[in-house]
Amino acid sequence: MLFRKGKKIVIAGSSQWGARLAGQLSGKGYDVVVVDSRRDAFRKLPEDFNGNQVEGDVTDPKVLERCGAGKAVAFIAATQNDNVNLMVGQIARCLMEVEHVYVMLEDQQRQKIIGGSGIKTICPLEASAEECARLVGEACRKEAV
């Protein structure tokens, strides 16, 4: 497979969060590939998703190679399992040599496992709580004026 270097993003896992992220990124013109072991998981992708779907085991380096992970500018592990995300993130970083690797974690304590590896963690629960607190803070400041 030939892919455009610099615009390709691979997302491992069509979880609810991963599917939504895939839709947003493909809507911005990125070449997005979503990999999941369950074909029915792709139903979570938005109707206007214009990327590629690859059915396969996200922990299998051959599957990741087939979907172009080695040529990706970014790789996001977004399955519903923190342990799988950590393992897949390490595969992308160490074996595929992807520079920008992100792993979704429900339990932020697990980020210690990959400390110093250059892999970045994303905690959707924490991020949404921070954003909500920011929005409420803005609203309160406007009311105080």
Side-chain angles (χ1 to χ4, degrees):
M1 292 182 168
L2 294 175
F3 298 104
R4 294 172 293 166
K5 178 80 171 167
K7 297 261 300 178
K8 172 173 256 356
I9 298 170
V10 175
I11 299 176
S14 189
S15 62
Q16 201 167 16
W17 184 80
R20 178 161 295 185
L21 178 63
Q24 290 179 2
L25 292 170
S26 73
K28 293 179 189 239
Y30 290 98
D31 181 10
V32 180
V33 177
V34 179
V35 186
D36 202 291
S37 61
R38 297 179 351 262
R39 179 168 296 286
D40 68 323
F42 297 124
R43 66 178 162 64
K44 297 175 191 159
L45 291 166
E47 287 183 26
D48 61 348
F49 176 71
N50 61 10
N52 295 304
Q53 303 164 21
V54 175
E55 185 178 358
D57 181 356
V58 298
T59 64
D60 184 345
K62 290 179 183 176
V63 170
L64 298 180
E65 189 63 42
R66 189 176 81 221
C67 70
K71 294 177 173 60
V73 68
F75 184 96
I76 301 133
T79 74
Q80 295 175 329
N81 185 314
D82 284 0
N83 292 331
V84 170
N85 289 342
L86 289 165
M87 181 170 62
V88 173
Q90 291 176 23
I91 291 169
R93 182 76 173 160
C94 299
L95 295 180
M96 304 290 162
E97 299 180 351
V98 179
E99 184 175 350
H100 303 285
V101 177
Y102 306 87
V103 295
M104 179 182 78
L105 295 177
E106 294 298 328
D107 180 1
Q108 280 296 94
Q109 295 299 318
R110 292 184 178 178
Q111 70 183 338
K112 297 173 188 171
I113 295 170
I114 54 172
S117 68
I119 298 172
K120 297 162 191 73
T121 59
I122 300 165
C123 179
L125 182 63
E126 187 175 306
S128 64
E130 287 174 5
E131 178 64 4
C132 186
R134 184 188 69 75
L135 292 171
V136 169
E138 284 180 8
C140 290
R141 281 190 296 279
K142 287 179 183 175
E143 289 295 318
V145 175

